[in-house]
Amino acid sequence: MSATDISTSAAPAVHTGRPWQRDLIGIAVILLAAIGGYFLFPDNLALLTRIIAIMLLVLSLDLVTGYCGVATLGHAALFGAGAYAAGIAAVTFGITEPLSMIGIGAIAGAVAGLVSGVVILRGHGLAQLVLSIAVIHLFHEAANKASTYTGGSDGLSGIAPDPLFGLFEFDLWGRTAYAFGIVLLVLVFVLLRILVRSPFGMLCRGIRQDPIRVSAMGASVKASLIKMYVISGAVAGIGGALNAVSTQVVGLDSLSFTNSAEALVMLVLGGAGSLYGAFVGTIVFMWFEHVVSAANPFHWLTIVGALLITVVLFAPKGLYGTAANLAKRFARSRP
Amino acid sequence: MSAIFEVERLKKSFGGLDVTKDVSLSMARGDRLALIGPNGAGKTTFVNLVTGHLQPSSGRVLMDGEDISRFNPMRRVRAGLVRSFQVTRLFSEMTPEEHVALAILQREGKSGRMAENFHAMPQVMREMRGILETLNLGALATVPVGEIAYGQQRLLEIALAMALRPKVLLLDEPAAGVPHSDTFLIENALAQLPDDLAVLMIEHDMDLVFRFAKRVVVLAAGEIIFDGSPRDVTEDARVREAYLGSYAHAGSAA
Ligand SMILES: Nc1ncnc2c1ncn2[C@@H]1O[C@H](COP(=O)(O)OP(=O)(O)O)[C@@H](O)[C@H]1O
Ligand SMILES: [Mg+2]
């Protein structure tokens, strides 16, 4: 038995003879979507860049929830740590070189991942979920209290990143930030695909499906989960730092329970345990949010509710997981 | 010959029910031991106790003279004590290939590697294929375990144990759930185990027991009531009595 119920909704790995082919297609689709987004929505690049940052958060959540089966409603702690670290580095310590800010965000996210992993993994099932909620509230409160550095509830502003590579200014239209985000996303995605296919990635998938079997193989469940939490933290931290670089402000909402819960909703919507579902879920959720909440904020919540109920009841593997399953069945039914 | 595996005065009770009463047992390298006994005798509990999946009330477990009583299950495996499960425990979304490769990688201390892929490790691939062929699982190597028959999942349990190359192997009813026509695969696999490995097998199929075991231990109501040769076990009065207590016909089934 797996440790959590969320994990049962994970998409099954699709078994193809040439897995790299699928990833090359995946990367091609991301790049095409990125280019399409750039030309179709030139006035919405800021939103698209925010979607990329949140995608990194949802990818990071997929590592611990989809692959390892850890239930958490506190994952924004890792994202927020990256955002604040990058912001504070720029405002307080004058480190405004964008790549350094991203690096600092990744490290801070990894540290936050270590801390929250150590706390959350002490519990199982419901206790784990409650601990994760406690973690996000503690992070939120810490950022609120440390207002000298974080700006407290006013948010941290005045982040002014240098031009990228000394060449590309972060312009008003957000073109540089968008391109920067896409490159970061593709890099992270490639590394994560390698990771989830590695022996360590297999071990983590094993932990989600049967931790007792894993320990009966002589592997350490706890140490592997903590390692994955640290990696996950680095990924979320990059997302947070990207958000700080592109919006040039960091608010307490980045460290909020709402942000954590929405990330989980996006993951469930898209489908956990494949990385691809994280993309699909984030785009669908945030795009709908953008379109519908602009028209009517009340309807937005109704639609989220209806969407979630539909997906959980009728497509428990998420949008991507269900589509992948259908494609697999279709491929099998053909001779 | 010195013992590779020793259990000293192991006791366990579940809420007043003494399931393991002062059990002592030792095995030497190369032992082929069958642990038999009526249902509910405490055989699985014995395995859970010595492998650290349950905490005993008292008693010690030693591997090669080293006290491993305080080790968690993971460290006991690393000390060379490996078990299989009576009710299959596998990763339902992963393939036999991935299971066996993971076990091999774990044994070699490579399961934490993050930038490699076992498909590109020729030695792992070769050993994995060999083990799967032995158990006739080659054709199912890339099918998720949740989609293969239970009998074949049982064979994969044994494949995992083989891949870990233990010093002491505890098999909890490896043939339970395997179609009779396939038990020869299990026997083939057992025959290929290294000669110096100590194997304890819990088994109800007495034909299998007699072909496999050089030594039989009978557990009844949490106590060892017989420890001797397969030839003598059916003649033993206490053993007959223990089986008659739960079955109408002694000797024919266990
Ligand atoms: N976790 C447990 N809690 C309570 N009783 C248990 C537990 N595990 C086993 N038992 C009891 O211990 C006895 C021995 O069980 P078991 O070791 O599974 O027997 P066997 O494997 O010989 O058939 C049975 O009466 C069973 O009901
Ligand atoms: Mg049993």
Side-chain angles (χ1 to χ4, degrees):
Chain A
M1 270 295 292
S2 56
T4 67
D5 288 325
I6 288 169
S7 61
T8 54
S9 66
V14 177
H15 297 276
T16 58
R18 285 150 297 190
W20 277 112
Q21 236 175 29
R22 197 162 138 259
D23 287 347
L24 287 178
I25 295 172
I27 292 165
V29 169
I30 296 172
L31 289 174
L32 279 177
I35 294 166
Y38 182 88
F39 287 109
L40 289 174
F41 310 105
D43 303 329
N44 275 329
L45 292 185
L47 171 68
L48 296 186
T49 310
R50 177 157 173 80
I51 291 180
I52 295 170
I54 297 296
M55 268 180 185
L56 288 163
L57 168 61
V58 180
L59 279 175
S60 146
L61 180 63
D62 201 11
L63 292 180
V64 298
T65 301
Y67 284 89
C68 297
V70 178
T72 168
L73 278 167
H75 218 62
L78 287 54
F79 179 86
Y84 273 109
I88 291 167
V91 173
T92 310
F93 300 99
I95 302 171
T96 49
E97 198 281 309
L99 288 178
S100 311
M101 288 171 70
I102 298 290
I104 289 167
I107 293 168
V111 173
L114 179 65
V115 172
S116 50
V118 166
V119 175
I120 291 169
L121 294 171
R122 292 202 71 84
H124 293 283
L126 202 55
Q128 199 167 62
L129 214 55
V130 172
L131 282 172
S132 75
I133 296 171
V135 163
I136 187 66
H137 284 307
L138 287 175
F139 270 75
H140 188 272
E141 205 37 42
N144 192 20
K145 282 273 152 29
S147 54
T148 328
Y149 292 102
T150 62
S153 54
D154 296 336
L156 178 64
S157 53
I159 303 166
D162 295 343
L164 190 56
F165 306 121
L167 292 173
F168 306 104
E169 289 271 2
F170 283 92
D171 54 308
L172 269 174
W173 301 275
R175 288 183 196 136
T176 305
Y178 180 63
F180 186 40
I182 291 290
V183 172
L184 282 177
L185 183 69
V186 170
L187 275 180
V188 167
F189 175 73
V190 169
L191 291 177
L192 293 187
R193 285 309 306 179
I194 295 172
L195 178 76
V196 298
R197 251 207 279 283
S198 69
F200 177 70
M202 279 205 294
L203 191 63
C204 289
R205 278 193 285 143
I207 290 172
R208 172 169 63 75
Q209 294 169 61
D210 192 342
I212 291 180
R213 164 48 80 188
V214 168
S215 62
M217 282 178 157
S220 170
V221 170
K222 192 76 174 275
S224 309
L225 290 178
I226 298 236
K227 261 194 237 170
M228 194 55 132
Y229 240 101
V230 171
I231 295 169
S232 170
V235 173
I238 291 173
L242 172 65
N243 208 44
V245 168
S246 63
T247 63
Q248 313 199 344
V249 290
V250 180
L252 278 176
D253 59 326
S254 67
L255 263 181
S256 64
F257 173 76
T258 310
N259 196 16
S260 302
E262 282 185 355
L264 190 61
V265 168
M266 293 179 218
L267 183 62
V268 171
L269 192 64
S274 68
L275 299 184
Y276 291 101
F279 288 121
V280 176
T282 312
I283 290 183
V284 170
F285 183 97
M286 291 190 67
W287 193 256
F288 264 82
E289 178 181 43
H290 173 70
V291 173
V292 182
S293 69
N296 184 331
F298 172 73
H299 272 151
W300 161 235
L301 288 175
T302 317
I303 287 196
V304 170
L307 204 64
L308 256 187
I309 290 173
T310 312
V311 165
V312 169
L313 291 184
F314 300 107
K317 289 175 195 308
L319 296 172
Y320 174 79
T322 306
N325 264 8
L326 287 177
K328 203 163 97 180
R329 219 181 298 167
F330 180 68
R332 261 193 212 172
S333 68
R334 283 190 314 186
Chain B
M1 197 157 46
S2 75
I4 176 88
F5 175 61
E6 282 173 281
V7 177
E8 289 177 359
R9 315 205 57 176
L10 207 60
K11 288 183 192 162
K12 175 75 184 175
S13 58
F14 289 116
L17 175 69
D18 294 328
V19 177
T20 307
K21 303 172 189 160
D22 207 4
V23 169
S24 298
L25 181 74
S26 85
M27 291 174 74
R29 281 178 215 282
D31 259 1
R32 291 291 184 273
L33 188 158
L35 179 64
I36 65 172
N39 269 325
K43 305 181 295 294
T44 297
T45 303
F46 173 78
V47 171
N48 284 333
L49 289 172
V50 298
T51 53
H53 290 92
L54 283 176
Q55 285 306 310
S57 320
S58 64
R60 296 202 306 162
V61 181
L62 294 92
M63 279 288 289
D64 225 352
E66 183 188 11
D67 189 345
I68 60 165
S69 310
R70 307 230 152 269
F71 286 17
N72 63 19
M74 172 196 83
R75 287 180 67 204
R76 295 185 198 212
V77 174
R78 291 183 182 176
L81 179 61
V82 167
R83 68 165 309 174
S84 74
F85 291 92
Q86 178 176 357
V87 177
T88 307
R89 297 200 82 113
L90 296 168
F91 313 126
S92 62
E93 291 165 17
M94 285 161 69
T95 64
E97 206 174 73
E98 290 173 313
H99 279 80
V100 176
L102 189 56
I104 296 169
L105 289 162
Q106 173 59 35
R107 180 194 81 211
E108 297 195 333
K110 294 177 183 166
S111 69
R113 299 208 174 169
M114 298 182 178
E116 280 163 81
N117 191 311
F118 74 89
H119 291 284
M121 299 177 176
Q123 277 184 339
V124 173
M125 288 298 280
R126 210 173 310 127
E127 185 182 346
M128 180 264 290
R129 291 213 176 98
I131 290 173
L132 289 178
E133 287 309 326
T134 303
L135 291 157
N136 206 18
L137 291 170
L140 297 170
T142 58
V143 181
V145 161
E147 295 172 20
I148 70 179
Y150 187 72
Q152 281 153 335
Q153 296 184 18
R154 300 294 301 148
L155 297 174
L156 186 55
E157 274 274 335
I158 297 173
L160 287 186
M162 288 174 76
L164 292 169
R165 292 202 190 149
K167 293 181 191 152
V168 175
L169 176 57
L170 312 175
L171 297 169
D172 195 354
E173 302 199 24
V178 178
H180 210 69
S181 55
D182 279 354
T183 47
F184 80 94
L185 291 169
I186 293 179
E187 291 189 61
N188 284 354
L190 294 177
Q192 289 195 17
L193 294 172
D195 288 338
D196 64 344
L197 170 65
V199 187
L200 178 152
M201 179 170 72
I202 298 173
E203 189 47 66
H204 283 299
D205 179 343
M206 290 310 279
D207 295 333
L208 194 54
V209 165
F210 287 128
R211 281 199 294 274
F212 163 80
K214 306 271 184 302
R215 178 179 159 202
V216 176
V217 171
V218 183
L219 198 65
E223 278 178 298
I224 292 185
I225 58 164
F226 176 89
D227 186 343
S229 76
R231 210 170 340 102
D232 299 336
V233 69
T234 47
E235 307 304 323
D236 189 272
R238 286 186 71 189
V239 173
R240 282 174 161 268
E241 193 189 330
Y243 274 98
L244 277 170
S246 53
Y247 292 98
H249 42 87
S252 64

